[in-house]
Amino acid sequence: VSAYPWSFATGQAVLPRLSATPVADYANAFQLPDDFLRALSAGSGPRGSGVAYRIAEDRLHADEDSVTLTYIFRPADETLPPFFQSALIARLAAEFVIPLTENTSRAQLLFELSEREFRAARLIDSQQDLPPAISDFPLITARG
């Protein structure tokens, strides 16, 4: 799930600030959510991006006083959408076919099928949101 930013597994949270400060480089430490898998971006105030940060152990380090994290979380099995379930079933079939049948040609066919299923699932998932706009690009800024 964490290899791709699936919309059904992406969330945002305002992180609680910890009293202990990082040893170096950043002023504040924040506790990551329990279901955290991977960070996508961090922001401050009403923005979900734009803050420089580092993740160390189970904490996020940043210079801001408040951090909003956009992240990938571990979704519950019952919340997985049908398009992802189909792709997951195809991948599991490909993984289990060699131990069960010892047929490598069938495994190759199932891996190709699972790759097509995941491509289709990513396409469906990507159509559920607007593409991100370029918010800061030096060449556009330089043109005035």
Side-chain angles (χ1 to χ4, degrees), residues 33 73 79 124 131 137 144:
F73 63 87
T79 64
I124 291 168
F137 190 62

Side-chain angles (χ1 to χ4, degrees), residues 89-108:
I89 289 167
R91 178 59 53 94
L92 290 173
E95 293 288 340
F96 289 128
V97 71
I98 290 179
L100 294 174
T101 67
E102 297 181 9
N103 187 333
T104 56
S105 62
R106 184 174 289 160
Q108 180 63 33

Side-chain angles (χ1 to χ4, degrees), residues 7 16-17 23 32 55 77 100 110-111 127 133:
S7 62
R17 188 171 158 190
V23 174
L32 292 171
I55 294 180
D77 291 342
L100 294 174
L110 288 173
F111 271 110
Q127 292 172 346

Side-chain angles (χ1 to χ4, degrees), residues 116-139:
R116 284 195 304 268
E117 288 282 339
F118 269 101
R119 256 185 265 122
R122 283 191 297 270
L123 177 63
I124 291 168
D125 190 66
S126 70
Q127 292 172 346
Q128 299 186 96
D129 194 10
L130 292 173
I134 298 172
S135 59
D136 184 26
F137 190 62
L139 293 176

Side-chain angles (χ1 to χ4, degrees), residues 16-24 26-31 57-62 64:
R17 188 171 158 190
L18 301 171
S19 58
T21 58
V23 174
Y26 292 98
N28 297 309
F30 301 86
Q31 183 64 53
E57 298 175 356
D58 63 342
R59 296 180 296 272
L60 181 139
H61 297 170
E64 304 295 320

